Amino acid sequence: MAKFNIEITKSINEDQKTEVAKLFYSAFEKKFSTLWLFAKNETQAVAVLRECINYKKGLYALSENSLLGFIGLETGDGLFVNFKFSSLSKVFGLFGATWRFLAYGIYRLLHNNRIEHEVHIDPIVVSSNARGMGVGTKLLNATIDFARSINRKCVFLEVVDTNSNAQKLYERVGFAVVDVEDTSLFTSNSGFSKVIHMRKILAI
């Protein structure tokens, strides 16, 4: 197994931003096709993501300028990804953009996370060729350091019930389950039926 010299950074170049969009899609392909964008392929999803990701709200794991993973951080002043109507219309046309924009708005209302004295992780993604190398742990630890640096009391995230490996990683870093939400009515086509909410309380 190859070893990586992992650097966690807030700054990435334009090519790496495109890689973030591609990696995001590859990690959540089913959600992008059945729940979020209803995209037919990677080209559509990446075109929207490239314009709608707020790259300043992320931390990125690099090795020799290659993207190994990333984590989106929300602190109450905006989302890591915010689908814009103008970006949707470029890819899906006026009609396609309209119903997608409305559908995503409803999704956000149903999953409205109130952030007070907290940092919300959404999402965390590690490239398939870098899994098991500690990339996820480094990103989570960097997030915890960031949260402490801005005097936040805890970090929270969500994980679906079919991703037990991710849940185990979060538990190893100190996250605990605080709620389990049954989402089967809306998410069965996306391959999961429950969303597990987890928090890590920080000692400031």
Side-chain angles (χ1 to χ4, degrees):
M1 184 178 291
K3 292 185 178 180
F4 298 106
N5 180 22
I6 303 167
E7 172 194 7
I8 306 297
T9 180
K10 292 182 178 180
S11 301
I12 54 175
N13 61 37
E14 294 304 311
D15 289 339
Q16 290 164 343
K17 289 178 181 179
T18 300
E19 289 305 308
V20 168
K22 290 180 177 179
L23 183 56
F24 196 173
Y25 172 78
S26 67
F28 298 102
E29 181 177 351
K30 198 163 188 178
K31 288 183 181 179
F32 279 115
S33 64
T34 64
L35 186 63
W36 293 337
L37 279 179
F38 300 93
K40 294 180 180 179
N41 52 53
E42 179 186 42
T43 300
Q44 288 183 334
V46 169
V48 175
L49 285 168
R50 185 62 177 78
E51 291 192 6
C52 296
I53 291 174
N54 187 344
Y55 292 95
K56 293 180 180 179
K57 292 188 173 299
L59 294 173
Y60 307 92
L62 303 178
S63 177
E64 298 180 355
N65 291 321
S66 295
L67 180 73
L68 303 181
F70 68 91
I71 196 164
L73 305 177
E74 298 174 354
T75 57
D77 58 350
L79 304 173
F80 179 68
V81 180
N82 188 20
F83 292 134
K84 297 175 286 189
F85 184 81
S86 58
S87 300
L88 291 170
S89 62
K90 289 179 185 178
V91 176
F92 300 109
L94 183 60
F95 176 75
T98 300
W99 70 260
R100 284 176 171 86
F101 189 73
L102 292 172
Y104 187 69
I106 293 170
Y107 171 82
R108 291 304 311 189
L109 284 174
L110 293 173
H111 297 83
N112 183 27
N113 295 301
R114 294 185 178 182
I115 302 174
E116 292 183 19
H117 311 298
E118 300 178 323
V119 171
H120 178 220
I121 293 174
D122 185 25
I124 176 171
V125 180
V126 175
S127 174
S128 59
N129 66 351
R131 289 172 190 164
M133 300 301 295
V135 176
T137 301
K138 285 182 178 292
L139 285 167
L140 288 167
N141 286 335
T143 296
I144 292 165
D145 290 341
F146 166 74
R148 287 194 174 111
S149 75
I150 60 172
N151 297 315
R152 295 302 170 98
K153 295 180 179 179
C154 81
V155 180
F156 72 100
L157 54 78
E158 298 84 28
V159 60
V160 299
D161 57 339
T162 53
N163 196 352
S164 59
N165 287 336
Q167 184 177 345
K168 290 175 183 177
L169 167 62
Y170 305 147
E171 290 171 344
R172 286 199 299 271
V173 178
F175 285 81
V177 175
V178 294
D179 189 28
V180 178
E181 179 185 5
D182 187 340
T183 61
S184 55
L185 182 63
F186 305 100
T187 63
S188 58
N189 288 337
S190 300
F192 64 97
S193 60
K194 295 179 181 178
V195 173
I196 300 163
H197 300 259
M198 305 184 73
R199 273 181 170 81
K200 177 178 173 67
I201 305 300
L202 304 181
I204 305 299

